[in-house]
Amino acid sequence: MTDPDLSPLFKPLALGNVTLRNRFVMPAMQIGFTENCGPSLRTIGYLRGRAEGGCGLIFSESCAPDHPSGYWQGAFCVMNGETRGRWAQLSDAVKGAGAAFAVQLWHPGGQRRPIEGFPHADAPTLSPSGLIQADREGGRAMTRDEMDDLAATFVRAAEDARAIGADGIELHCAHGYLMDQFLWAETNVRDDGYGGEAIADRARYPLAVAAAIRQAVGPDFLVSLRFSQFKEVDYGARVFRTPEELAEFGALARAAGVSMLNVSSRRFGKPEWPERDPDLGIAGWAKKLTDLPVMTIGSIGLSTDIFADLFDGEDPGLRIAADLGDLMRRFNGGEFDMVGVGRMQIANADFVNKLREGRYDALRLYNKAVDLKHLMAQVVPGAVEEHRKTAEA
Ligand SMILES: Cc1cc2nc3c(=O)[nH]c(=O)nc-3n(C[C@H](O)[C@H](O)[C@H](O)COP(=O)(O)O)c2cc1C
């Protein structure tokens, strides 16, 4: 088999005020190097290394806005007066090495597990309806005042991201955290126009926050929206039950000023609605139905997905050649515009440069025990076992 021609992935892409030098993206990934709720010198060196390694766009690890309910556990970042200087250093370092940089804004919602001694440990844990699954409580339902208050802190965090020199932000609406708890029917049973059966109602709060951010940061700042069908607490979950619901969401996201969709999946290209199309993955559907710039992601180069690996203890094997063939077939077919590579860029700072040079043999296999040593040391005791029990149930 001849190696696929990857050159289309090395064409630049203009997104608002930023032009990516290529289509490779480093997704948001907590790595365990934070200090005092902000990026450390080690975080800065680590992400700069991925920019030097050729990546086009780098998202910071998840960063909470400065709201008491956003502070949770060890391995996390917040955007506040004390951390802003380090965020600026991080942005300078990544951009200085030729990549674009965006801060991922995230809130744990009902998934928060406050630990004694951490800032704001006594603050209430907030979620749309007091649920993190249909039959599993998490936090308490937010009041409308609390929703407004939190939205304002998201906007301030986005303004801060612009002020420290970032090219954009990403609103994390995936994986079962706060914004996704709004999007998912199981965890959002509000009856105040912000929840219930209709996707337009469940999307109202996340997209109101996106629109307020867009209003504050101006027309050209990158505002990415990340969503996923699956949740960390339920691999089989579906926010969008039909392509029509996804199309409706896409139109609303576009109207809110979202500039790209980061479509998070466990395995890129896995057919999403096989009864409607035997081949099209969720990113492909998003591209077809919304026409926003779309990023795909999920196990590129690896045989097992992130959750099999993190929670079920299944070590991945390499799958470079087969994955690149399928990736290029889909990219050339117009299914997505950008390609997110997570664990293989943790393991290989120069993943992108090695692909460009065709040096697949020089790629190192990702290994959780080695690559996530610092993060795993900070995970709340019992969290992995809890996931194992619930996600596959
Ligand atoms: C250690 C680790 C930390 C992660 N942290 C985040 C995060 O902060 N925000 C987020 O949206 N996704 C997070 N993810 C998910 C990744 O962004 C990505 O979607 C996932 O690893 C799948 O891509 P991959 O199969 O190429 O690794 C994390 C993944 C890993 C492995």
Side-chain angles (χ1 to χ4, degrees):
M1 196 174 77
T2 52
D3 288 339
D5 173 14
L6 303 187
S7 61
L9 293 179
F10 289 90
K11 294 211 170 94
L13 176 69
L15 289 173
N17 64 353
V18 60
T19 298
L20 311 186
R21 62 184 163 183
N22 61 45
R23 309 307 181 90
F24 289 96
V25 181
M26 174 109 186
M29 286 189 289
Q30 295 194 12
I31 195 72
F33 298 159
T34 55
E35 259 172 29
N36 302 323
C37 300
S40 63
L41 287 179
R42 194 160 186 195
T43 320
I44 293 167
Y46 165 75
L47 287 183
R48 185 184 169 97
R50 273 67 197 165
E52 287 167 349
C55 188
L57 167 62
I58 293 186
F59 287 106
S60 78
E61 65 184 85
S62 50
C63 167
D66 188 14
H67 189 276
S69 65
Y71 286 71
W72 76 335
Q73 62 184 33
F76 96 114
C77 279
V78 72
M79 182 65 84
N80 65 23
E82 277 157 41
T83 59
R84 258 197 300 272
R86 276 174 284 142
W87 281 108
Q89 277 177 282
L90 174 57
S91 176
D92 285 353
V94 168
K95 291 174 67 171
F101 177 68
V103 177
Q104 185 186 62
L105 298 179
W106 153 94
H107 186 288
Q111 298 270 14
R112 176 171 176 256
R113 294 187 188 85
I115 297 178
E116 238 184 275
F118 269 80
H120 303 295
D122 296 337
T125 292
L126 301 176
S127 56
S129 304
L131 296 169
I132 52 171
Q133 267 179 293
D135 53 0
R136 200 164 152 217
E137 289 176 9
R140 67 154 170 79
M142 302 169 78
T143 65
R144 288 292 302 282
D145 281 349
E146 284 168 337
M147 285 163 61
D148 290 346
D149 195 32
L150 182 62
T153 65
F154 266 101
V155 171
R156 275 201 296 280
E159 287 172 330
D160 282 347
R162 192 183 54 172
I164 59 100
D167 297 300
I169 61 101
E170 175 164 88
L171 193 57
H172 188 339
C173 302
H175 307 166
Y177 294 102
L178 179 80
M179 292 301 183
D180 196 20
Q181 290 157 21
F182 271 95
L183 291 179
W184 192 26
E186 268 201 26
T187 45
N188 184 353
V189 294
R190 298 180 72 95
D191 58 7
D192 59 353
Y194 286 86
E197 271 309 291
I199 185 66
D201 288 337
R202 299 198 305 274
R204 198 176 308 279
Y205 184 66
L207 294 181
V209 172
I213 288 174
R214 169 59 71 214
Q215 176 85 27
V217 296
D220 289 331
F221 196 65
L222 178 68
V223 176
S224 168
L225 187 147
R226 179 168 227 202
F227 73 81
S228 64
Q229 293 279 54
F230 74 89
K231 319 293 156 223
E232 288 178 12
V233 293
D234 181 352
Y235 299 162
R238 272 191 166 165
V239 166
F240 309 107
R241 287 164 286 205
T242 61
E244 288 69 29
E245 286 189 348
L246 176 56
E248 192 180 348
F249 177 76
L252 293 167
R254 183 189 266 286
V258 165
S259 30
M260 66 170 266
L261 295 174
N262 172 348
V263 182
S264 179
S265 71
R266 296 177 61 197
R267 171 115 203 111
F268 85 96
K270 179 168 174 281
E272 182 62 26
W273 286 289
E275 66 286 6
R276 301 279 292 265
D277 187 309
D279 189 49
L280 204 57
I282 182 73
W285 276 104
K287 182 74 195 167
K288 179 172 161 170
L289 296 171
T290 71
D291 210 32
L292 280 165
V294 163
M295 168 185 146
T296 192
I297 183 164
S299 307
I300 291 168
L302 292 173
S303 64
T304 55
D305 83 281
I306 170 69
F307 297 109
D309 159 13
L310 271 185
F311 302 133
D312 307 332
E314 280 180 49
D315 291 331
L318 278 177
R319 264 187 67 106
I320 300 290
D323 276 3
L324 291 179
D326 193 32
L327 190 75
M328 291 319 296
R329 177 179 70 82
R330 293 176 184 279
F331 183 82
N332 292 331
E335 291 187 24
F336 38 79
D337 309 280
M338 287 158 278
V339 173
V341 177
R343 289 165 294 159
M344 281 301 280
Q345 284 198 93
I346 296 183
N348 300 275
D350 55 354
F351 178 85
V352 176
N353 284 342
K354 284 202 173 116
L355 285 201
R356 201 187 40 222
E357 294 156 9
R359 295 170 57 215
Y360 305 162
D361 291 350
L363 289 170
R364 202 193 120 231
L365 176 59
Y366 158 89
N367 176 301
K368 178 179 73 174
V370 175
D371 292 306
L372 296 187
K373 204 168 59 199
H374 298 272
L375 184 70
M376 294 317 281
Q378 300 177 45
V379 170
V380 177
V384 170
E385 287 68 28
E386 200 182 312
H387 267 289
R388 231 177 249 146
K389 277 201 304 258
T390 59
E392 299 284 21

